[in-house]
Amino acid sequence: MATHLVSALDVRDFGAETVRIGELNGDGAPDLLFVQNDYGTRAITCLTATTLGGEVLWQRGTPSLEHGFIYGDLPVQLFDWDGDGANEVLYVQQARYAELYPGAGYAVERALRYEGEAVMIVLDAATGVEKRRFPLPAPADDCFLFADLTGSGRRRDLVVKDRYWNMWGVAHSGQVLWHWEGSVGHFPAIGDVDGDGRDEVFVGFALIDHDGRVLWRHDDGGHHQDAAAMVRLADGGWRLLFGNGGAHCLGGDGTTLWHHPLNEAQHVVPGRFRRDSEQQVMVIDRGRQRGDPSCPATLYLYDLDGRELWRREQPAGSWAAAGVRIGWFGPSAPDALLMYSRGLVTCEWHGDEMLYRYIPGEGEAIFDGDGNLVETLTMQYPAAPAADAPHCGYYGLAADVWGDSREEVLLFGARGMCIYANAAPFSLPTQYNETLYPGV
């Protein structure tokens, strides 16, 4: 194996299954932001900023070993939002869920009645000190993303949403620009499809213009997209991809170009994984029954014309496998896919809460564009978690945190975090006409 374990961080009581990566303390190196939440409500309870070595820079809230687990995305991002050259941390504080839907269960995703409004809180990333706050519509406490809705030339506006049903466009000033009701899915994608200098918002079954106008919409059949992506081709054309009951590819006008029926296409990841076509798309199809030890995930690679190039079945029980694009081989080489959660994931009830217990299997994997498994990795902890730890799953990200022009693997969870780097020698072009007397 050509991998190197760069570090295994002691996350103490602030470990989390949500991490953001970016410059925090002004020294020019990437840092880490660990985000804890209440498992059932997704309410953010603690933010902890650290260096790559685990040194705590600041903390907002009270860390807890019980608040490091998630069942969905969280509304927090790290970005130079005000354009002053330094990052901010933005996160949403929930409104009060005053009256719940009957039979809501462990996952509290919306309310019949709210008290107050949700609040977007903006922090100075270097210190954690609050810089600004402004209200949002009460249900808008799910994930959010930055977009250019107003034609400023910079993605400093916001697209905010509730879990599955509503989405709002919000200007940098905090003004709500529009509201759209429909199947918003897990996380929208954005791109300037019509070329007017402002972003459209793609939610799988619909494309929403910068001003909230519906450009086109398909019947969602009561479903939502599990993954959405937008690809602009060299000729200026667009491919809009999403996963739900299979992998779907649409044109910019909403025309269905191809669809491959699958059990559950939870991850749809475009990239340049091979050199024989402009771009391709990796798709992870989940097993048929969640928690069934016999159900494997399957990894597919399609070209943008919908041709299946190959498929690779994963280990038994890997129904929850996930993947992210990774520049493992360097900037001039094809992309690869980091695939994690390839072990056995079982569903367990703890009182009124359902938790997923992760049993590591054959390790996390990196696949290249030919379908080769080029690396396997395992989660490393500074100290082994207790045998009765309620939930020892972990997630994966890819980022060049080591500064060698190749992206590293970051595996993280409530009980630890580790970083792997590509240890293979990095290709260097031949240097010729060398001399002891260099001139100009």
Side-chain angles (χ1 to χ4, degrees), residues 137-149:
D141 59 17
D142 198 67
C143 56
F144 67 89
L145 64 157
F146 302 102
D148 185 357
L149 303 177

